[in-house]
Amino acid sequence: LDEEKRSFTRTMDDEEIVYGLGENVRGINKRGWHYESMCCDDMNQTEDRTALYCAHNFFVVDGKEQFGVFIDYPGVLGFDFGYTKRELMQVTASDWNMDVYIVTGESLKDIVKQFRNLIGRSYIPPLWGFGFGQSRYSYMSEDEVREVVEKYRESGIPFDAIYLDIDYMDHYKDFTLNSETFPDFPAFVQEMKEKNVHLVPIIDAGVKQEEGYDIYDDGMKHGAFCVKEDGTPFVGAVWPGEAVFPDVLNKEARAWFGSNYKILLDQGIDGFWNDMNEPSIFYTPERMKQSFETIESLKGQDLSRDNYFKLMFSVVTLSNNPEYYKTFYHNIDGELVRHDRVHNLYGYNMTRAAGEAFERLVPDKRVLMFSRSSYIGMHRYGGMWQGDNKAWWSHLLMNLKEMPSLNMCGFLYTGADLGGFGSDTTEDLMLRWLALGVFTPLMRSHAAQRSRYHETYLFDAHESFKSVISTRYRLLPYIYSEYMKAALRGEMMFRPLAFDYTDDKRVKTVEDQMLVGDSIMIAPVYEQNAAGRTVYLPEPMKLVRFGLDGITEEVLPAGDHYVEVALSDVILFIRPNRLIPLSSGGQCVEDVDFQNVELLSFGPAEYEYYHDNGYEKDYDNPDHITVLRSAE
Amino acid sequence: LDEEKRSFTRTMDDEEIVYGLGENVRGINKRGWHYESMCCDDMNQTEDRTALYCAHNFFVVDGKEQFGVFIDYPGVLGFDFGYTKRELMQVTASDWNMDVYIVTGESLKDIVKQFRNLIGRSYIPPLWGFGFGQSRYSYMSEDEVREVVEKYRESGIPFDAIYLDIDYMDHYKDFTLNSETFPDFPAFVQEMKEKNVHLVPIIDAGVKQEEGYDIYDDGMKHGAFCVKEDGTPFVGAVWPGEAVFPDVLNKEARAWFGSNYKILLDQGIDGFWNDMNEPSIFYTPERMKQSFETIESLKGQDLSRDNYFKLMFSVVTLSNNPEYYKTFYHNIDGELVRHDRVHNLYGYNMTRAAGEAFERLVPDKRVLMFSRSSYIGMHRYGGMWQGDNKAWWSHLLMNLKEMPSLNMCGFLYTGADLGGFGSDTTEDLMLRWLALGVFTPLMRSHAAQRSRYHETYLFDAHESFKSVISTRYRLLPYIYSEYMKAALRGEMMFRPLAFDYTDDKRVKTVEDQMLVGDSIMIAPVYEQNAAGRTVYLPEPMKLVRFGLDGITEEVLPAGDHYVEVALSDVILFIRPNRLIPLSSGGQCVEDVDFQNVELLSFGPAEYEYYHDNGYEKDYDNPDHITVLRSAE
C-alpha cells in the first residue's frame, strides 16, 4: 500500500490467475495486461484497449491463496495485472476515497457466491426476454418492422422481440415518437403483441435541449439536469444535437427521469434498452469553439507534421473527450460533486432510475431492461449487452470470454450483438455466433447503420438458421431454470472449467470452453472455415448435436478430441450423471411448453428444475422447483 | 464472364478452398470474405479490412478442380470469395484491360511452382539478413544506437542489425542525414560493422519539395516526379511536409531515383527498407484548402448530427484519400497514365528502382532490401515486411497465416514486426512472437513512437529471451538452406499442411500449424496465458524443444496432442526420415559455423544442405549443395 502513489501492490506467484473485471478485453485470465475502470463509448474493442463501456471492479485471485477483491470506487481505477512486470499486481486510484472488500471463501465458486450475496440479487427479466430478438440501427417505420416480423414468421425462424433503435423517436428526443413513421404507436404495439412480438425501444442518456419539448421543460423545472460550475445546465451534443444530462446520481432527479418511462409503458411497451450512458458526448459547445479557433489559427500556416497533427487532433478529440467529465457536476445530497469523481456510476444510475420507476409503476410486472454502461450494483436493476461490437470472429470469442467475468460481477442477463454490430457480417459468422448465442440469456442480433443487413431470413442457408435458433427454444427450459437458480442462489451460470474441475491443472488455461449451468459444457466454433474444433474433456461426457437431422448423442472419453461441427449444428456436452430438460420448441416463448419436457441425460441423473410462469415475481416460491429424474 | 459488369464469376463446391492473395486479412483459406487489391497505409489490420499495404493478385483454387489464377492488372481489383453468397466466386475489375493467367499443375505445390517459374526467381538477401534485427521508430542519434548495441552485446542476446527509422534524416529528406545526431555517418557505419552490426536506413517514397535540397532539385531537372494534369509536379504531404513523388513507373525516372541509393552505399550501408510507398499521402494542398472551406462554412451553424459528421469527415478523410490517386499521372513511354489505373505498381517500382540500381552499382554484392508496399514482380528485387501492425496476439497469428500466402506469390523474404509496431507489447507476447520469428526469414523487432520500448534486453525474463533468439542462430543452417532451395526451385518455404498431406482431410482446416521447409512442422503458441497448445500430427513426428535446459526430443504418434510450451521454449516437429542441421549458435551471423553442423533427425534421413558464403551471387553453383546423412 502506497498512499502517496494512491496504489497498492502485491507479488503474484508464477502460476497465479486473475479472474474478473466483468466487461473488458483479453482473456478469462486477466493476467499480463493493464485495465482501467473508465466507462467509454468506442466500438473498436481491440486487444490494446484498457476499458470498454463498463466499470466492474471485482476480481478473484487464484494463486497460493484464493480471494476476491471488490473496490467500491466510482472514479478512474487502474489495474496492472502483470503488465509492467510479470509478477507485479498493482491497483491505482485517482484519489483515495474508497471501500475495499476482500472476499474469502472455500473455493473460487464460494468466493463468488459470498460476493454475490454481498451485492444483492441479480435482475430477473420476463420470460420472453429469453427468446431471440432482432435489432437494427434502425428500423425506420412501422412498415419496416411489420415486414421484418412477417418475414420471420413466414420463414419459421422463431423470435420474440424487435428492438427499436434511435430513429423511432422524434428527432432523437427521449420518450417521444416520430409521428410520421409510427403514427399510432399504442395500436402498433398491440398489433405486434398479438403476433407475440415485443417491441423494445431504446432510451438515450442525453435529453435534447429544446424549449417546448416537454421532457426538457419538465426536467428544467425539476432542476433535474447536471450543471456546470456556475449552476447552469451542462450541455453536450449527442444524437439529438445539444443535450442536457439527467442527474441520475441525485435521488429526486433519478425519480423524475424514471417516471418518464411511464409514457412508453402506458403505450403497451414492456421492455427497454438504455444507451449512450457512459455518458457518451460527441462534443461540448465550448470545446467545439476551441477547435474552430485552433483550425482558424492554422489557416495559411505550414501544415507539415506538427501542425497537421494539431489539426487532426483538434477534431478527432472532440468525441468523448474525458476532459468533458471535469466540467460538470452532480448534486449529491446538496453537495456538488464533479462528474469525473463519480463517472462510472452514471449508466448504473440511469438504469436504476428505470428499475426504481418500474417498481413504483408496475410493481407486479417484470420489465425487460438492459444497459450499455454499468457498474456493479446495476445488476440488480437490469442486464447489459456487451456493448457495440464488430462483425469480427475475435468478438465472438470475446463474447464467450466475458460471460463468466460478468457473471462474477452479478451480470447474468447478458449477451453480445450477435453477428456483430459494426462492419459487415458473413453467413458463417452469423451461424457460428448464433450457435453461441443459443446459450446466452440475452440472445439478440443487432447491426449498425450502413452495415450489411443480417436478419437471419436473408441468408441462403435457411434451414441452418432455422435449426440453430429453434435449438434455443428447445433448450429454453434448461436455460431459464439455470438462470433462475444462478440469480436466486448468487451463482455463476457461465463458469470457466477451472471453477468446477479444481484438481485438473490442464483446465486452468482452457478459455474457449465453458460450463453453462450445472449440467453442460459448451465449446463453440469461433474460426472461419473451420469444420470443427478440438475439445478437452476433463471427464467423460456425452456430446449432443442438434443438427439438420435432429438430435444425435455420442459418449466421449475424457481427453482431447477433434469434433466436427457443421455450420448448421449446435453442440453441447452433458456431464456424467447430469441431465437437461428439453422442450419441443416453438415459434416464440409463448409457444414453448415448459411443463412437458423431454430429458436428455448422461447416465442416471437428477435435476432441480426451476419453472414459474415467467412474469410474476414470487421467485422464491418453493413450488417453482421440481426434481426431474432420469434412469438412463 | 460479364464484360458489362467487368467481372467474372464461378460457382464453388461446398468444400472448396481458396488459397493466396499474399498479404491480406483472414485465414489461409480466403473463403467467406471479400478482398481488394488496393495498396493502402493503415496499421489497423482488423478482420473487416479488405486490403492492406500490398496487392498480390494470385490465388489457388482447391475444389473438384485445382488451378491457380494470376490477374496481372495494376488497378483496383475486387475478389468476392463466397462473401455475398457462399458458393459464388466473383472477381471484379475497375476496367477491363488485364492479363489473366490460369495456372495448372499436378498438385497444389506444382501449381505454385509453375506460377513461380513464370514470375521469376525470388530476391535473395545477404546472409546477415537472416540474423535478428532490432528496430524502433526511431533511434534518434548515434549515441542511442550505440547504447542499444552495447546493451545487446552485454546481454548475450544475439543480433545483427539496427534499423534506422525516419529520424536519422535531416527533416525527413531522403538520402540525407541529420548532421547533429549523426555527425560522421561513414565512421559510425564502420564502427558498427566492426561490432558485426549492420545499420539499415529507411527510404520513403515522398521527396521533400524544397528548393536547394539537392535530390529535389536534381529530380526536377530530370523531370522525374509525377505530375498533375497540367504537367506541374503533383504535391502531397507526408513526413517532410509537402513532397513530390518519383515517377518510378517511368524507366528514366526509376533509374534516377535508384541512383540516389549510392549516396548511402558509399557511406558503407548495405541494407535498406522502403516505406510509405503505397504511396501514403497525408493530404494534398488542394484537399486541405477544401477542408478549411468546409469548416469555415460550418462556423456558427447548428452542428447537430449531419453537420457534425460533415466536420469530422472533412478532416478524417484528409489522410490517404483514394481520390488523390485520380489527380496525378505517370509518364509511361510518353503517355500520361493516371495513377489510380496503375496504383498498385508504385511500391513495386520504387523497390525495383533500388534493385536495378544495386545491379548497376554493386553488381557482385547482395544488398538487403525490403518494402512495405508491393505487387507480384517486386519479389525479384526485394523482400517485404508484413506492414505496420499492432502488439496484438491476433497479429501474431496473422503473421503465421500470411507466410504461405506470400510464399505462393514469390515473397520469401518476409516477416512481421515482432512484438507489434503500434500499441504496447507485453513480455509474454514478445516471447511467443519471437518464437515464431525464429522461423521467418526476416526476423525483426520493431515498435512505434510512444509505444512501449521492447528491445529484448529490457525485460525481466532475460534467459528466456536469450534462449529463444539464440535458437534462431542454432537453426540458421537449416533456415538459410531451405530459403535458398525455395528461392532457386520456385518452391514455398512455408506451406499449409494440406499442401503436403494431400490425403488427410483433417489438415485442410488446420491454419495454426505450418510446414517450414522440407523437414519440419511448427505450431506456435498465440494465446496469452496459454501454457501450451493442441497440435494435430498427420503422421508420427519428433517433438524437439529448445528450452532453458537445452534440447529435448520426444517422439509422438500421429493424432491430437496437447503440448506444454513454456514461455522460454521454441518447439518444432521433425517429420519421419527427415533431419535438420544445427549450428552451435553465435552472437551474430558472422559467428555461426555453417560447416560443422550437428544433425537432429527422426529416423534415418538424408538432407540436401545448401550452403554458400552468403554474400556472392553464384547461387546455382552445384558445390553449394551437400547431402547430409543421419543413420539414427
Side-chain angles (χ1 to χ4, degrees):
Chain A
L1 188 72
D2 182 337
E3 301 222 8
E4 197 92 345
K5 284 190 188 150
R6 296 180 176 124
S7 67
F8 58 85
T9 57
R10 59 181 287 278
T11 302
M12 294 190 282
D13 308 337
D14 203 39
E15 307 215 329
E16 192 162 307
I17 294 172
V18 186
Y19 296 101
L21 295 191
E23 182 188 271
N24 218 317
V25 296
R26 304 251 166 177
I28 292 175
N29 181 358
K30 306 315 272 188
R31 189 158 181 184
W33 189 238
H34 56 113
Y35 310 87
E36 231 181 7
S37 279
M38 169 65 186
C39 302
C40 58
D41 172 17
D42 181 348
M43 73 164 92
N44 285 300
Q45 303 192 24
T46 51
E47 294 171 47
D48 51 350
R49 298 283 302 283
T50 55
L52 302 176
Y53 298 89
C54 300
H56 299 146
N57 303 340
F58 177 63
F59 60 91
V60 178
V61 170
D62 180 19
K64 273 179 204 138
E65 300 167 291
Q66 293 183 324
F67 58 94
V69 179
F70 173 50
I71 304 173
D72 196 6
Y73 175 75
V76 178
L77 266 184
F79 303 89
D80 183 334
F81 291 158
Y83 163 71
T84 302
K85 281 190 169 288
R86 194 168 156 69
E87 73 284 3
L88 182 75
M89 172 183 283
Q90 184 160 31
V91 180
T92 311
S94 44
D95 71 32
W96 205 241
N97 179 13
M98 57 171 73
D99 294 319
V100 178
Y101 299 79
I102 305 296
V103 184
T104 55
E106 287 166 11
S107 64
L108 296 172
K109 286 209 275 199
D110 188 44
I111 290 165
V112 170
K113 195 165 179 160
Q114 301 295 333
F115 176 62
R116 294 272 302 282
N117 285 336
L118 178 71
I119 60 174
R121 203 192 65 214
S122 298
Y123 163 78
I124 294 172
L127 189 58
W128 65 264
F130 291 87
F132 173 60
Q134 180 66 52
S135 185
R136 182 168 180 90
Y137 167 28
S138 297
Y139 297 122
M140 300 301 289
S141 65
E142 275 188 18
D143 285 343
E144 198 177 336
V145 173
R146 262 189 207 103
E147 193 190 323
V148 173
V149 168
E150 213 163 284
K151 289 202 172 152
Y152 259 105
R153 288 290 181 242
E154 271 172 19
S155 73
I157 298 171
F159 86 112
D160 272 86
I162 295 282
Y163 289 80
L164 299 177
D165 211 317
I166 55 173
D167 292 285
Y168 80 88
M169 294 183 259
D170 172 27
H171 290 87
Y172 315 117
K173 290 189 275 192
D174 276 345
F175 309 111
T176 69
L177 280 143
N178 183 322
S179 58
E180 282 180 29
T181 52
F182 292 87
D184 186 349
F185 197 59
F188 184 58
V189 173
Q190 192 52 37
E191 176 190 329
M192 289 294 112
K193 279 246 166 94
E194 281 158 18
K195 296 179 199 284
N196 286 308
V197 176
H198 297 259
L199 295 179
V200 187
I202 198 168
I203 304 293
D204 279 354
V207 170
K208 188 171 175 64
Q209 186 187 36
E210 182 182 85
E211 282 177 35
Y213 160 39
D214 51 356
I215 305 291
Y216 171 75
D217 290 343
D218 197 44
M220 285 299 286
K221 209 166 24 183
H222 282 81
F225 300 120
C226 294
V227 292
K228 290 191 285 196
E229 205 168 5
D230 65 6
T232 62
F234 166 79
V235 175
V238 267
W239 296 119
E242 296 187 359
V244 292
F245 296 84
D247 184 2
V248 284
L249 275 70
N250 174 282
K251 201 176 165 188
E252 288 77 34
R254 187 164 64 242
W256 167 79
F257 186 74
S259 66
N260 293 305
Y261 286 83
K262 185 168 188 299
I263 296 166
L264 288 159
L265 289 171
D266 286 348
Q267 298 181 60
I269 290 299
D270 49 11
F272 300 89
W273 43 314
N274 281 347
D275 197 14
M276 302 291 281
N277 51 4
E278 293 71 29
S280 182
I281 299 174
F282 296 167
Y283 65 88
T284 61
E286 294 83 0
R287 182 56 167 69
M288 181 61 90
K289 193 160 161 273
Q290 273 178 32
S291 291
F292 272 102
E293 283 165 8
T294 303
I295 294 166
E296 187 69 29
S297 76
L298 291 172
K299 219 172 151 178
Q301 300 247 7
D302 173 10
L303 286 173
S304 64
R305 230 170 154 211
D306 293 353
N307 279 338
Y308 172 69
F309 289 110
K310 201 168 159 186
L311 173 72
M312 280 284 174
F313 192 78
S314 79
V315 173
V316 299
T317 57
L318 278 168
S319 187
N320 290 310
N321 194 320
E323 290 299 309
Y324 302 155
Y325 301 138
K326 297 178 183 165
T327 65
F328 66 95
Y329 295 81
H330 299 276
N331 179 339
I332 301 179
D333 302 327
E335 192 196 342
L336 283 189
V337 177
R338 206 171 75 177
H339 176 79
D340 61 325
R341 296 189 52 205
V342 292
H343 172 69
N344 293 324
L345 297 180
Y346 195 85
Y348 165 13
N349 281 289
M350 179 192 174
T351 297
R352 183 180 174 191
E356 290 174 344
F358 300 153
E359 281 298 325
R360 291 193 307 273
L361 299 166
V362 282
D364 297 331
K365 211 175 151 180
R366 302 189 205 171
V367 179
L368 185 71
M369 164 55 72
F370 55 90
S371 174
R372 192 168 70 184
S373 185
S374 63
Y375 180 88
I376 290 172
M378 199 205 83
H379 69 284
R380 299 189 302 255
Y381 303 101
M384 49 165 287
W385 86 100
Q386 291 168 20
D388 295 351
N389 61 4
K390 295 273 185 121
W392 293 346
W393 288 84
S394 57
H395 279 182
L396 192 174
L397 186 56
M398 190 176 175
N399 179 183
L400 180 68
K401 290 183 179 183
E402 282 185 358
M403 295 302 296
S405 312
L406 287 168
N407 277 199
M408 285 176 217
C409 298
F411 296 93
L412 296 182
Y413 190 71
T414 187
D417 286 348
L418 301 172
F421 176 66
S423 303
D424 293 322
T425 199
T426 61
E427 187 180 65
D428 51 355
L429 177 59
M430 277 305 301
L431 282 167
R432 294 303 194 191
W433 211 332
L434 285 163
L436 165 60
V438 157
F439 299 98
T440 61
L442 169 60
M443 184 189 187
R444 180 178 79 140
S445 154
H446 187 33
Q449 251 188 348
R450 283 183 296 273
S451 72
R452 186 180 195 173
Y453 279 80
H454 59 59
E455 289 68 21
T456 54
Y457 53 74
L458 294 172
F459 295 97
D460 289 332
H462 181 80
E463 290 305 315
S464 299
F465 282 96
K466 189 168 162 182
S467 178
V468 168
I469 297 174
S470 296
T471 301
R472 164 69 164 213
Y473 286 76
R474 298 211 60 189
L475 286 168
L476 273 177
Y478 178 71
I479 289 168
Y480 183 68
S481 171
E482 291 301 313
Y483 185 93
M484 292 305 293
K485 288 187 291 178
L488 298 174
R489 297 170 182 176
E491 291 173 353
M492 293 164 68
M493 182 171 165
F494 282 75
R495 299 182 306 285
L497 273 55
F499 275 54
D500 285 47
Y501 299 98
T502 49
D503 294 331
D504 184 329
K505 200 182 159 202
R506 169 81 183 279
V507 299
K508 286 181 181 293
T509 58
V510 173
E511 299 215 341
D512 60 357
Q513 305 175 199
M514 202 82 64
L515 297 164
V516 180
D518 188 53
S519 304
I520 66 169
M521 182 183 80
I522 62 169
V525 174
Y526 52 88
E527 279 167 13
Q528 191 161 29
N529 296 315
R533 55 163 287 172
T534 53
V535 179
Y536 173 69
L537 303 189
E539 59 182 339
M541 292 189 186
K542 182 190 267 185
L543 165 61
V544 179
R545 185 185 306 274
F546 297 80
L548 292 179
D549 303 325
I551 297 176
T552 57
E553 304 172 53
E554 182 188 357
V555 174
L556 297 175
D560 289 292
H561 299 272
Y562 178 80
V563 177
E564 288 191 12
V565 191
L567 280 171
S568 45
D569 288 352
V570 175
I571 61 162
L572 58 82
F573 299 84
I574 303 183
R575 299 167 70 184
N577 305 112
R578 304 289 210 288
L579 66 81
I580 56 171
L582 275 189
S583 85
S584 55
Q587 284 299 294
C588 58
V589 169
E590 190 65 30
D591 277 0
V592 174
D593 183 351
F594 284 79
Q595 304 283 2
N596 297 297
V597 290
E598 179 186 337
L599 305 185
L600 269 184
S601 76
F602 178 25
E606 277 192 6
Y607 179 74
E608 279 192 292
Y609 180 46
Y610 185 102
H611 173 56
D612 60 14
N613 73 6
Y615 300 97
E616 290 172 11
K617 291 184 170 177
D618 60 335
Y619 306 123
D620 295 313
N621 184 337
D623 293 349
H624 295 333
I625 293 201
T626 357
V627 176
L628 306 177
R629 283 184 187 84
S630 164
E632 186 221 0
Chain B
L1 189 71
D2 182 337
E3 300 223 8
E4 197 92 344
K5 286 190 188 149
R6 295 181 178 123
S7 67
F8 59 85
T9 59
R10 58 181 288 279
T11 302
M12 294 189 282
D13 307 337
D14 202 38
E15 308 214 329
E16 192 163 308
I17 294 173
V18 186
Y19 296 101
L21 295 191
E23 183 189 270
N24 219 317
V25 296
R26 304 252 165 177
I28 292 176
N29 180 0
K30 307 313 274 188
R31 190 161 180 181
W33 189 238
H34 57 112
Y35 309 87
E36 231 182 6
S37 280
M38 169 66 182
C39 302
C40 58
D41 172 16
D42 181 348
M43 71 164 93
N44 285 300
Q45 302 192 25
T46 51
E47 293 170 49
D48 50 350
R49 298 282 303 283
T50 55
L52 302 175
Y53 299 89
C54 299
H56 299 146
N57 304 339
F58 177 63
F59 60 91
V60 177
V61 169
D62 180 19
K64 273 179 205 138
E65 299 168 291
Q66 293 183 324
F67 58 94
V69 180
F70 173 49
I71 304 173
D72 197 8
Y73 175 76
V76 178
L77 265 184
F79 303 89
D80 183 334
F81 291 158
Y83 163 71
T84 302
K85 281 190 169 287
R86 192 165 158 72
E87 74 284 3
L88 181 75
M89 171 183 284
Q90 183 160 33
V91 179
T92 311
S94 44
D95 72 31
W96 204 241
N97 178 14
M98 58 171 72
D99 294 319
V100 178
Y101 299 80
I102 305 296
V103 185
T104 56
E106 287 166 11
S107 64
L108 296 172
K109 285 210 275 198
D110 188 44
I111 289 166
V112 170
K113 195 166 180 161
Q114 300 295 332
F115 176 61
R116 294 271 302 282
N117 285 336
L118 178 72
I119 61 173
R121 203 192 62 215
S122 298
Y123 164 77
I124 294 171
L127 188 57
W128 65 265
F130 291 87
F132 173 60
Q134 180 65 53
S135 186
R136 181 168 180 91
Y137 167 29
S138 298
Y139 298 123
M140 300 301 288
S141 66
E142 276 187 18
D143 286 343
E144 198 176 337
V145 173
R146 262 188 208 104
E147 194 190 322
V148 174
V149 168
E150 213 163 284
K151 289 201 171 150
Y152 259 105
R153 288 291 181 241
E154 272 171 19
S155 72
I157 298 171
F159 87 113
D160 272 87
I162 296 281
Y163 288 81
L164 300 177
D165 211 316
I166 56 173
D167 293 284
Y168 80 89
M169 294 183 260
D170 171 28
H171 290 88
Y172 315 117
K173 290 188 276 191
D174 277 344
F175 309 112
T176 69
L177 280 143
N178 183 322
S179 58
E180 281 179 30
T181 51
F182 292 87
D184 187 349
F185 197 59
F188 184 58
V189 173
Q190 192 52 37
E191 176 190 328
M192 290 293 113
K193 279 245 165 94
E194 280 159 19
K195 296 179 199 284
N196 286 309
V197 176
H198 297 260
L199 295 179
V200 186
I202 198 168
I203 304 292
D204 280 354
V207 169
K208 187 170 175 66
Q209 185 187 38
E210 181 182 86
E211 281 176 37
Y213 161 37
D214 51 356
I215 305 291
Y216 171 74
D217 290 343
D218 197 45
M220 286 299 285
K221 209 164 27 181
H222 282 81
F225 300 120
C226 293
V227 293
K228 291 191 284 196
E229 206 169 5
D230 65 5
T232 63
F234 165 78
V235 175
V238 267
W239 297 118
E242 295 187 358
V244 291
F245 295 84
D247 183 2
V248 284
L249 275 69
N250 175 282
K251 202 176 164 187
E252 288 77 33
R254 187 163 65 240
W256 168 80
F257 186 74
S259 65
N260 293 305
Y261 285 82
K262 186 169 188 298
I263 296 166
L264 288 159
L265 289 171
D266 286 349
Q267 299 182 58
I269 291 299
D270 48 12
F272 300 88
W273 45 313
N274 282 347
D275 197 14
M276 301 290 283
N277 51 4
E278 294 70 29
S280 182
I281 299 174
F282 297 167
Y283 65 88
T284 62
E286 293 82 1
R287 181 57 167 66
M288 181 62 89
K289 192 160 162 270
Q290 274 177 32
S291 291
F292 272 101
E293 284 165 8
T294 303
I295 294 166
E296 187 68 29
S297 77
L298 292 172
K299 218 171 151 177
Q301 299 247 8
D302 173 9
L303 286 173
S304 65
R305 227 165 160 215
D306 292 353
N307 279 338
Y308 172 69
F309 289 111
K310 200 168 160 186
L311 172 73
M312 279 285 174
F313 192 78
S314 80
V315 173
V316 299
T317 57
L318 277 168
S319 187
N320 290 309
N321 193 319
E323 290 299 308
Y324 301 155
Y325 300 139
K326 297 179 183 164
T327 65
F328 66 95
Y329 294 80
H330 299 274
N331 178 341
I332 301 178
D333 302 327
E335 194 196 343
L336 283 189
V337 178
R338 206 171 76 177
H339 176 80
D340 62 325
R341 296 189 54 204
V342 291
H343 171 69
N344 293 324
L345 297 180
Y346 195 85
Y348 166 14
N349 280 290
M350 178 193 175
T351 296
R352 183 180 174 191
E356 289 174 345
F358 301 152
E359 280 297 326
R360 289 194 308 272
L361 299 166
V362 282
D364 297 331
K365 211 174 152 180
R366 303 188 205 172
V367 179
L368 184 71
M369 165 55 71
F370 55 90
S371 175
R372 192 168 70 184
S373 185
S374 63
Y375 181 89
I376 290 172
M378 200 204 83
H379 69 284
R380 298 188 303 255
Y381 303 102
M384 48 166 287
W385 85 100
Q386 291 169 19
D388 296 351
N389 61 6
K390 294 271 186 124
W392 294 346
W393 289 85
S394 57
H395 279 182
L396 191 174
L397 186 57
M398 190 175 176
N399 178 183
L400 179 69
K401 290 184 179 183
E402 282 185 357
M403 294 302 296
S405 311
L406 288 168
N407 278 198
M408 284 176 217
C409 298
F411 296 94
L412 297 182
Y413 190 72
T414 186
D417 286 349
L418 300 172
F421 177 66
S423 304
D424 293 323
T425 199
T426 61
E427 187 179 63
D428 53 354
L429 177 58
M430 278 304 302
L431 282 167
R432 294 302 195 192
W433 210 332
L434 285 163
L436 165 60
V438 157
F439 299 98
T440 61
L442 169 60
M443 184 190 187
R444 180 178 79 140
S445 154
H446 187 33
Q449 252 189 346
R450 285 183 295 274
S451 72
R452 185 180 196 174
Y453 278 80
H454 61 59
E455 289 69 21
T456 54
Y457 52 76
L458 294 172
F459 294 97
D460 289 333
H462 180 80
E463 290 305 314
S464 300
F465 282 96
K466 189 168 159 182
S467 178
V468 168
I469 297 175
S470 296
T471 300
R472 164 68 163 213
Y473 285 77
R474 298 210 61 188
L475 286 168
L476 273 177
Y478 178 70
I479 290 168
Y480 183 68
S481 170
E482 290 302 313
Y483 184 92
M484 292 305 293
K485 288 188 290 178
L488 298 175
R489 296 170 183 177
E491 292 173 352
M492 293 163 69
M493 182 172 166
F494 281 75
R495 299 182 307 285
L497 273 56
F499 275 54
D500 285 47
Y501 299 98
T502 49
D503 295 331
D504 185 328
K505 199 182 160 202
R506 169 82 183 280
V507 299
K508 285 181 182 294
T509 58
V510 173
E511 298 214 341
D512 61 357
Q513 304 174 200
M514 201 81 64
L515 298 164
V516 180
D518 188 53
S519 303
I520 66 169
M521 182 183 80
I522 62 169
V525 174
Y526 51 88
E527 279 166 12
Q528 192 161 30
N529 296 315
R533 55 163 288 171
T534 53
V535 179
Y536 173 69
L537 303 189
E539 59 182 339
M541 292 189 187
K542 180 190 269 186
L543 164 61
V544 179
R545 184 185 306 274
F546 297 81
L548 291 178
D549 302 326
I551 298 176
T552 57
E553 304 173 52
E554 182 188 358
V555 173
L556 297 175
D560 289 292
H561 299 271
Y562 177 79
V563 178
E564 289 191 10
V565 191
L567 280 171
S568 46
D569 288 351
V570 175
I571 62 162
L572 58 82
F573 298 84
I574 304 182
R575 298 166 70 183
N577 305 111
R578 304 290 211 287
L579 67 82
I580 56 171
L582 276 189
S583 86
S584 54
Q587 284 300 295
C588 59
V589 169
E590 190 64 29
D591 277 0
V592 174
D593 184 351
F594 284 79
Q595 303 285 1
N596 298 297
V597 290
E598 179 186 339
L599 305 184
L600 269 184
S601 76
F602 179 25
E606 276 192 7
Y607 178 74
E608 279 191 292
Y609 180 46
Y610 185 101
H611 172 57
D612 60 14
N613 72 8
Y615 301 96
E616 289 173 11
K617 291 182 169 178
D618 60 334
Y619 306 124
D620 296 314
N621 184 338
D623 293 348
H624 295 333
I625 293 202
T626 356
V627 176
L628 305 177
R629 283 182 187 86
S630 164
E632 186 220 0

